[in-house]
Amino acid sequence: MNANTTNDITSEFVSLELNHMNSSTNVYNGSEWRIWDLHVHTPDSIYQKYGKNDPNTWEKYISDLESLRSEIAVIGINDYFFIDGYERLKKEKEQNGRLQDLKLLPVVEFRLREFAGVEFGKYQRPNLHVIFSDEIEVGIIKSQFLNALQSKYLLEEGEEFNRTVDRNSLVELGKKIKNTIPPEKQKEFGSDISVGFGNLNLYKDDIYEALKKDCFTGKYLTALGKAEWSSMKWTPSSIAVKKSIINEVDFIFTAAESVESYTKSKDSLKKQGVNHLLLDCSDAHYYSHSNEKDRIGNCNTWIKGDLSIEGLKQVVFEPDYRLNISTQKPIEPNRKLQSFSFNFPEDTILQRRGSSENQPFCLNILKDLFKFSHYFTCIIGGRGTGKSTIINLIGEKLGESTKFFQDNELIINGEKYDIKTDPKSLIKISGTSEVEFVSQGKVESLAEGDELTRLVFNERIKASSTEFVSLDEELESICQEIDSTIDLILLYRKEKIRLNEKKKEKRNVELILNSINDKRYKEITSDIKDCQSQINLREKSKTSYLDLLAHLLSIINNHPKKKESNEIDKRTNRILDSILSNEEFEYVQEKKEYELNTKKFENIDSELSKLKEKKHGLNKRIELFLLEKGMNEDSIKDSQSASETYSKLKDEVENLDKKISFMSEKFESNNSKFQELPEIKSSYEELIKSSLEAINKKLQIQNENVHEIKFDFSFDNKGFREKIFEELLRKFQSSYISGTSKEKIKETLFLIPPNNIVEDDYNTDKFMKELEGILGLTGARRNNNYVKVIENIFQEKTHFYIYKLIIKKHWYNWSKNIQIKGYYGNKELQSSSFGQKCTAVIVTLMMTGLKPLIIDEPEAHLDNRLVADYLVNLLKSKKVDRQVIFATHNSNFVINGDAELIHMLHIPPGEVFTSIRSTSIENLKFREELLKLEGGEKAFKVREQKYGLSSRKR
């Protein structure tokens, strides 16, 4: 089947709108943080400061809104109880193509009749705002809501206001009311009194009654003005009514001067024990460039959601995670995966390893780009729809090994496809490559053995502080120095033996040369030694010269001159210029590199030739001299060899002396560095302790479904001893007696604890004497092979010092010998049940760590109650700090976990290829699909009825 056929079959699933949403040019991002200002007036407002008589007012106003479109995403148009301004802006969008980046919501504001008694100087009304969905037509709002309330308007004196509510009638009413108020008091009422707005009041029940029509169901939210509510009188008889007004609305509006002012207002509502879901709004009556507080754009309300009334509703359900009041966009996790896409050929197949059975790869038709929310993304779908396949593909591409692709492999054009290297770039993932990937099998493996504790150490403790990096580097450096010192000791011993041998040879040669006391013989041999010494000196100079040139050539070819961006670059170039100024370095254009053009030292070559000729002549003279003395041919050759060898041996002895002296100095230098180890160990221990305390603090859980999870640490003494023994035996393998029990050797060796040897001043004699005493007490026989092996090793005293260095290297290396233990409740994790271990794994993974967390079916092996009552809330709190991606079929995570982005996978009946819808909880177009997670709407309502639950119809 080709992809076109499959796309035809799945056309009902992948709508035109969805295809547009998931196209590479307009990819759906899910719920995002954006600024919502739900209280903005227009030039049509009965009270506004944009300019009433300026014919360009509306053009200025629209241009002002357009200039803010990159800052504000949603504006609630609030012209009191008129929506003419909203209607005009909507036409600008639909007919003139302006304000396309702004979501406009119609908002109607009323003064409530409650507490409407007039007291001059204290004239105040609670203001009720109704925020409508922009999906409702303007005509419906006017005819079914505003006009329905006309007969309900009340004047100050209590008479009904039955005229059409328009501006002309309001002006007339305002004049009538104004004339009833003493002139000295009129200023206290401001503009409200002149337009009559403050004198038209409704009972809240009348407003709510008008909203009960089907055309408004689910398409509005309400808010109350905080300032007006706070100014209402409190009396014993009014407290309950006053609280009921604010508790009945969804939000409270305030126009705060600052975030601090907003916080104070919210805290005051909390203290009064009433609804404190407070939104900051501009209550704009001025242009954005004005210095006035109530200007367009003066709003700090960030809402995470789709730009719709449903997106706003999510704030009611999840205020702690969907609302943020700040001058800056809420922070996102530092490390994030951004998107993924596949481009597998149509003939790609999935084959089980070791089997000839295969099937078409279910992701073959997915060619679009899909985003990850920066917070929480869910990949959902029925079994077999490919959610685990996608998760495991992402894991493999990012370098993780998954059980799924250990058992299966992709075959493309008849060849196995390597996902990790992805040579044809069929898998594209943008964003960080640092993730924590947990496949289904990994949860189980982490729950067994000590994998979780290793993860805690490597991915949590060591990741918590950069100090670990520097301490690890120090430890690694010193451990390398210990290794080099051990090699130095072995080499020192070897070179010492060689020096003694050379000295012995030199003495033998001297005896030969001194065996003949003839003055003439001594003069000739002295001349030969001097001649050979001169030859050695010149040849050594030539060798040094060539070695130096080779090193310099390597430097200039591997360190080309740099563009001089700073003083260091300049100095580096000057050094290179100094080297290149020598005629020995010649640039070869064809090779784009320098080659050597070694200088000819004719004088030296001439001197060497003469010296060698002289030496040859001296050797002939010795030969003639010895013949005269009656020596045979062998004696003559021995004597000649001694003469030629002496100078060479002399140089070798001198060089070995210098080398051994240098090794001694290096040993002393290294030994001084080892004095730093106790302090490093102490710092490392303190750092681990503080890091673990921080982790355990995060894991202090107050929930009946989860016992306390904690970790502690200790030194892994068993591993420490194992490392020492293996290294010691490897170093002195020649001392091992074949067939001897290594366990018995190890047991005998550690009769004296290795850490005692580090802390006390042990030498070979003390160690062996003490060991013999212990062996005597245990009844072990000295002639046992396992005792002999130890004696063989430490027969050479330097070997015991090497043993001490090996102990020191491992004793102070906390990084390699730390032991982490986990506890669930009062039991060690290893002794807990499998379900408890899985709980500890998931909770630890979610509570700690910073990298994006990807888990395939986190609900596996977990109790539903644990998921619903604890993990979903934990997830919501943690996704602020780290990105979370789940492949799951558990609706608790998806819905109650408030996933910002949901990828719904589907394979039509009878087909094999996966399609994806990208949606969010607030997206009504795909709400039915999400309801299927709960068994569908009918099943949800049946459960609701059976449990005796009810929900407020909105």
Side-chain angles (χ1 to χ4, degrees):
M1 178 181 296
N2 61 41
N4 292 332
T5 306
T6 306
N7 282 324
D8 290 339
I9 290 171
T10 59
S11 61
E12 290 184 7
F13 181 77
V14 186
S15 65
L16 289 173
E17 182 170 347
L18 178 64
N19 285 334
H20 173 67
M21 183 186 298
N22 281 338
S23 70
S24 59
T25 57
N26 190 15
V27 182
Y28 184 57
N29 296 319
S31 305
E32 295 183 88
W33 286 111
R34 285 167 284 214
I35 294 179
W36 293 48
D37 187 351
L38 295 173
H39 194 172
V40 176
H41 293 271
T42 76
D44 268 4
S45 179
I46 57 176
Y47 170 57
Q48 53 89 11
K49 293 292 184 180
Y50 302 111
K52 292 184 178 180
N53 301 319
D54 186 348
N56 295 318
T57 295
W58 265 102
E59 175 57 33
K60 290 178 182 177
Y61 180 81
I62 293 170
S63 296
D64 202 22
L65 291 183
E66 287 181 322
S67 70
L68 293 170
R69 64 183 183 271
S70 62
E71 300 174 29
I72 298 179
V74 182
I75 288 183
I77 302 301
N78 188 336
D79 288 343
Y80 302 106
F81 36 70
F82 296 106
I83 60 170
D84 299 355
Y86 168 76
E87 186 176 18
R88 181 165 183 171
L89 290 174
K90 190 173 183 182
K91 286 180 181 177
E92 284 289 337
K93 286 190 74 168
E94 295 172 351
Q95 297 176 12
N96 300 327
R98 303 184 74 177
L99 304 171
Q100 292 302 308
D101 295 331
L102 274 177
K103 170 69 74 170
L104 302 176
L105 297 178
V107 184
V108 183
E109 180 179 359
F110 301 98
R111 292 285 170 92
L112 296 184
R113 181 63 179 172
E114 283 77 5
F115 303 96
V118 174
E119 290 185 29
F120 293 130
K122 296 179 182 178
Y123 190 87
Q124 196 60 269
R125 299 286 183 276
N127 285 11
L128 181 70
H129 305 253
V130 182
I131 310 155
F132 288 102
S133 168
D134 63 329
E135 295 177 359
I136 304 175
E137 295 180 8
V138 172
I140 296 293
I141 298 174
K142 285 183 175 181
S143 63
Q144 299 299 312
F145 183 61
L146 294 177
N147 291 346
L149 289 171
Q150 286 183 17
S151 63
K152 304 294 185 180
Y153 279 109
L154 301 174
L155 296 179
E156 200 56 60
E157 292 80 2
E159 61 186 278
E160 292 188 359
F161 182 62
N162 294 316
R163 288 169 291 178
T164 302
V165 184
D166 58 26
R167 283 173 176 72
N168 292 330
S169 60
L170 284 173
V171 170
E172 292 175 11
L173 179 64
K175 291 177 181 177
K176 175 183 175 183
I177 300 297
K178 184 176 181 181
N179 292 333
T180 67
I181 300 173
E184 68 272 12
K185 294 290 184 181
Q186 288 181 14
K187 289 183 179 180
E188 296 180 18
F189 295 91
S191 59
D192 275 358
I193 204 70
S194 64
V195 297
F197 172 62
N199 309 294
L200 290 180
N201 306 280
L202 290 170
Y203 285 111
K204 65 179 177 65
D205 290 343
D206 291 334
I207 297 172
Y208 285 126
E209 185 64 31
L211 289 168
K212 287 182 179 180
K213 296 182 177 69
D214 290 342
C215 58
F216 300 127
T217 300
K219 295 183 179 178
Y220 75 91
L221 293 163
T222 58
L224 194 73
K226 196 265 178 187
E228 296 85 6
W229 184 82
S230 295
S231 299
M232 288 161 53
K233 290 194 302 181
W234 288 79
T235 63
S237 61
S238 68
I239 290 175
V241 178
K242 185 177 181 186
K243 286 189 174 183
S244 71
I245 292 173
I246 197 168
N247 287 333
E248 197 167 358
V249 297
D250 297 294
F251 305 108
I252 298 91
F253 281 172
T254 187
E257 294 182 359
S258 64
V259 175
E260 291 76 16
S261 175
Y262 165 90
T263 304
K264 288 180 181 178
S265 294
K266 182 163 183 158
D267 289 343
S268 71
L269 292 172
K270 279 185 182 179
K271 288 178 182 177
Q272 294 175 61
V274 295
N275 183 357
H276 52 271
L277 189 43
L278 191 64
L279 302 185
D280 181 44
C281 307
S282 66
D283 192 11
H285 296 80
Y286 296 86
Y287 292 115
S288 63
H289 50 77
S290 167
N291 291 326
E292 300 297 329
K293 181 185 74 173
D294 51 341
R295 67 185 184 276
I296 299 174
N298 186 32
C299 175
N300 295 315
T301 292
W302 292 85
I303 289 174
K304 183 166 60 177
D306 280 359
L307 305 182
S308 65
I309 201 74
E310 285 296 321
L312 184 58
K313 278 183 186 179
Q314 301 309 311
V315 179
V316 180
F317 308 138
E318 300 285 357
D320 294 337
Y321 306 104
R322 293 276 188 157
L323 175 65
N324 189 283
I325 306 299
S326 174
T327 57
Q328 302 293 327
K329 184 177 180 180
I331 60 171
E332 299 175 346
N334 291 330
R335 300 179 180 89
K336 297 178 287 290
L337 288 171
Q338 302 288 358
S339 65
F340 70 94
S341 63
F342 307 130
N343 190 28
F344 291 101
E346 295 177 13
D347 63 348
T348 304
I349 61 173
L350 185 70
Q351 182 171 299
R352 189 160 186 83
R353 293 185 188 271
S355 171
S356 59
E357 293 183 10
N358 58 61
Q359 58 182 322
F361 189 43
C362 65
L363 307 181
N364 283 356
I365 67 167
L366 289 182
K367 307 296 180 184
D368 292 326
L369 180 73
F370 298 96
K371 296 298 282 291
F372 291 112
S373 166
H374 294 166
Y375 302 96
F376 181 32
T377 303
C378 274
I379 301 174
I380 66 172
R383 295 195 181 278
T385 54
K387 58 183 183 294
S388 289
T389 306
I390 289 176
I391 283 288
N392 284 288
L393 270 178
I394 292 169
E396 289 281 336
K397 174 68 175 178
L398 294 174
E400 299 284 341
S401 293
T402 68
K403 189 175 187 307
F404 183 87
F405 284 106
Q406 288 171 3
D407 298 338
N408 302 278
E409 58 190 347
L410 293 179
I411 307 296
I412 300 176
N413 296 326
E415 296 182 357
K416 297 177 183 178
Y417 194 74
D418 188 338
I419 298 169
K420 282 187 171 66
T421 59
D422 192 20
K424 296 182 180 179
S425 298
L426 304 182
I427 307 164
K428 292 186 177 178
I429 301 171
S430 66
T432 182
S433 60
E434 292 184 285
V435 300
E436 190 159 52
F437 180 84
V438 185
S439 62
Q440 291 183 44
K442 190 170 182 179
V443 173
E444 296 173 10
S445 66
L446 285 170
E448 298 293 344
D450 59 353
E451 282 203 35
L452 177 60
T453 53
R454 282 205 300 270
L455 180 143
V456 167
F457 178 63
N458 293 317
E459 298 294 331
R460 299 298 188 270
I461 295 175
K462 295 188 78 171
S464 66
S465 173
T466 55
E467 287 183 61
F468 279 111
V469 176
S470 59
L471 286 175
D472 277 340
E473 287 175 352
E474 283 187 74
L475 278 172
E476 184 64 26
S477 174
I478 293 177
C479 287
Q480 287 176 359
E481 290 288 355
I482 288 176
D483 287 337
S484 66
T485 301
I486 291 171
D487 293 338
L488 191 68
I489 292 170
L490 293 171
L491 181 61
Y492 179 89
R493 173 65 181 162
K494 183 179 176 182
E495 294 294 76
K496 263 286 193 182
I497 292 171
R498 187 164 162 244
L499 175 62
N500 290 335
E501 290 173 349
K502 292 297 178 183
K503 283 183 175 179
K504 185 178 179 180
E505 286 182 48
K506 181 171 172 281
R507 283 196 299 272
N508 290 335
V509 169
E510 286 176 336
L511 288 173
I512 294 171
L513 293 175
N514 293 332
S515 63
I516 301 174
N517 292 319
D518 189 278
K519 181 180 178 183
R520 191 156 57 101
Y521 175 81
K522 288 183 178 180
E523 288 175 352
I524 297 171
T525 54
S526 176
D527 288 343
I528 290 174
K529 285 189 284 186
D530 181 60
C531 189
Q532 183 63 50
S533 178
Q534 292 296 319
I535 292 171
N536 291 346
L537 183 63
R538 284 160 177 75
E539 287 184 339
K540 186 176 180 180
S541 296
K542 286 182 71 174
T543 301
S544 297
Y545 169 72
L546 293 174
D547 285 344
L548 175 62
L549 291 182
H551 283 303
L552 291 176
L553 181 66
S554 174
I555 289 170
I556 60 178
N557 280 330
N558 291 317
H559 297 82
K561 292 179 69 174
K562 299 180 179 181
K563 183 180 178 181
E564 296 182 356
S565 57
N566 53 56
E567 290 299 317
I568 296 175
D569 292 340
K570 289 179 181 178
R571 186 58 187 163
T572 301
N573 287 345
R574 297 297 82 77
I575 293 170
L576 289 171
D577 286 339
S578 176
I579 297 172
L580 293 171
S581 65
N582 293 284
E583 61 191 61
E584 281 86 349
F585 303 102
E586 181 179 357
Y587 188 73
V588 181
Q589 188 66 40
E590 296 79 14
K591 296 183 178 180
K592 304 294 184 185
E593 63 179 24
Y594 287 89
E595 287 188 352
L596 284 179
N597 179 23
T598 54
K599 188 176 180 180
K600 303 294 183 183
F601 296 96
E602 294 179 357
N603 289 339
I604 298 294
D605 291 339
S606 175
E607 288 173 3
L608 276 171
S609 178
K610 290 177 179 178
L611 285 167
K612 288 177 181 178
E613 186 177 342
K614 181 181 178 181
K615 177 187 165 186
H616 180 71
L618 290 168
N619 282 331
K620 282 292 184 183
R621 287 177 61 190
I622 283 288
E623 186 178 347
L624 289 171
F625 173 81
L626 294 173
L627 284 171
E628 289 176 7
K629 294 292 185 181
M631 294 180 70
N632 60 33
E633 187 176 348
D634 289 338
S635 297
I636 292 171
K637 286 181 179 180
D638 187 36
S639 177
Q640 286 178 323
S641 175
S643 298
E644 293 177 2
T645 303
Y646 181 80
S647 293
K648 185 178 179 183
L649 284 172
K650 182 183 177 185
D651 288 344
E652 285 182 343
V653 167
E654 287 176 358
N655 288 335
L656 281 171
D657 270 328
K658 289 178 182 178
K659 188 175 181 180
I660 288 171
S661 176
F662 172 79
M663 289 166 70
S664 296
E665 291 174 7
K666 178 68 175 172
F667 174 79
E668 291 300 326
S669 173
N670 287 355
N671 202 39
S672 64
K673 293 179 184 177
F674 305 155
Q675 309 308 313
E676 302 169 16
L677 282 169
E679 185 178 346
I680 295 174
K681 180 183 178 182
S682 178
S683 299
Y684 211 99
E685 189 174 355
E686 284 300 315
L687 197 54
I688 293 170
K689 184 179 178 181
S690 61
S691 300
L692 208 51
E693 283 175 355
I695 290 171
N696 286 334
K697 188 175 181 180
K698 290 179 182 178
L699 291 171
Q700 287 178 352
I701 299 161
Q702 303 296 324
N703 189 280
E704 62 180 5
N705 299 295
V706 187
H707 295 305
E708 182 185 11
I709 301 166
K710 64 181 179 180
F711 297 89
D712 67 14
F713 73 101
S714 60
F715 189 78
D716 182 7
N717 202 52
K718 182 180 178 182
F720 160 65
R721 292 186 172 200
E722 195 66 41
K723 292 184 184 76
I724 292 171
F725 180 71
E726 288 177 1
E727 186 169 350
L728 184 70
L729 211 59
R730 190 169 59 249
K731 286 287 183 189
F732 304 114
Q733 186 64 39
S734 60
S735 298
Y736 177 68
I737 301 171
S738 180
T740 307
S741 168
K742 291 183 179 179
E743 282 301 314
K744 291 295 289 182
I745 299 172
K746 181 165 57 176
E747 182 184 320
T748 304
L749 178 68
F750 295 141
L751 286 172
I752 301 174
N755 49 300
N756 287 5
I757 293 172
V758 171
E759 294 165 355
D760 293 340
D761 187 23
Y762 272 85
N763 56 33
T764 313
D765 294 337
K766 179 181 177 181
F767 174 78
M768 292 306 299
K769 185 176 181 180
E770 191 171 318
L771 184 62
E772 286 174 6
I774 297 172
L775 287 171
L777 291 175
T778 62
R781 294 190 316 201
R782 287 286 308 278
N783 59 354
N784 282 331
N785 282 349
Y786 55 83
V787 178
K788 287 182 178 178
V789 169
I790 295 173
E791 289 177 338
N792 290 345
I793 292 173
F794 297 128
Q795 189 173 11
E796 173 58 55
K797 292 188 177 183
T798 54
H799 290 180
F800 182 75
Y801 190 79
I802 289 172
Y803 177 51
K804 289 179 73 172
L805 285 176
I806 292 172
I807 295 171
K808 189 174 288 191
K809 180 173 78 170
H810 295 291
W811 174 246
Y812 291 110
N813 197 342
W814 268 92
S815 180
K816 300 290 172 58
N817 291 294
I818 188 171
Q819 190 171 37
I820 304 290
K821 282 189 178 180
Y823 296 87
Y824 187 77
N826 296 322
K827 292 197 307 186
E828 191 173 338
L829 203 55
Q830 296 296 342
S831 304
S832 302
S833 70
F834 183 68
Q836 290 173 328
K837 289 177 184 176
C838 289
T839 299
V841 167
I842 294 296
V843 171
T844 302
L845 288 172
M846 291 176 63
M847 285 287 281
T848 61
L850 296 171
K851 297 176 184 176
L853 177 63
I854 305 174
I855 306 183
D856 186 13
E857 295 196 16
E859 66 273 12
H861 312 299
L862 299 181
D863 183 80
N864 271 334
R865 185 178 175 186
L866 170 70
V867 173
D869 290 354
Y870 176 68
L871 289 182
V872 291
N873 288 323
L874 173 61
L875 171 62
K876 284 190 288 190
S877 65
K878 293 308 294 180
K879 67 183 181 180
V880 177
D881 303 318
R882 68 187 304 201
Q883 186 182 40
V884 181
I885 300 166
F886 282 176
T888 180
H889 51 73
N890 189 302
S891 59
N892 280 311
F893 281 128
V894 183
I895 307 302
N896 295 346
D898 196 29
E900 282 79 4
L901 180 57
I902 305 165
H903 296 306
M904 300 187 297
L905 277 57
H906 175 70
I907 296 180
E911 300 304 325
V912 295
F913 296 116
T914 299
S915 295
I916 297 181
R917 280 179 175 168
S918 298
T919 186
S920 60
I921 293 168
E922 58 262 34
N923 192 327
L924 291 179
K925 290 181 176 64
F926 306 123
R927 180 65 60 78
E928 191 65 34
E929 292 294 324
L930 286 178
L931 272 171
K932 289 178 181 178
L933 288 170
E934 301 276 6
E937 183 176 2
K938 182 178 178 181
F940 187 83
K941 288 180 177 178
V942 168
R943 288 201 300 275
E944 184 181 44
Q945 291 168 357
K946 287 188 174 184
Y947 285 124
L949 304 174
S950 62
S951 60
R952 177 182 173 188
K953 188 177 182 181
R954 182 48 64 83

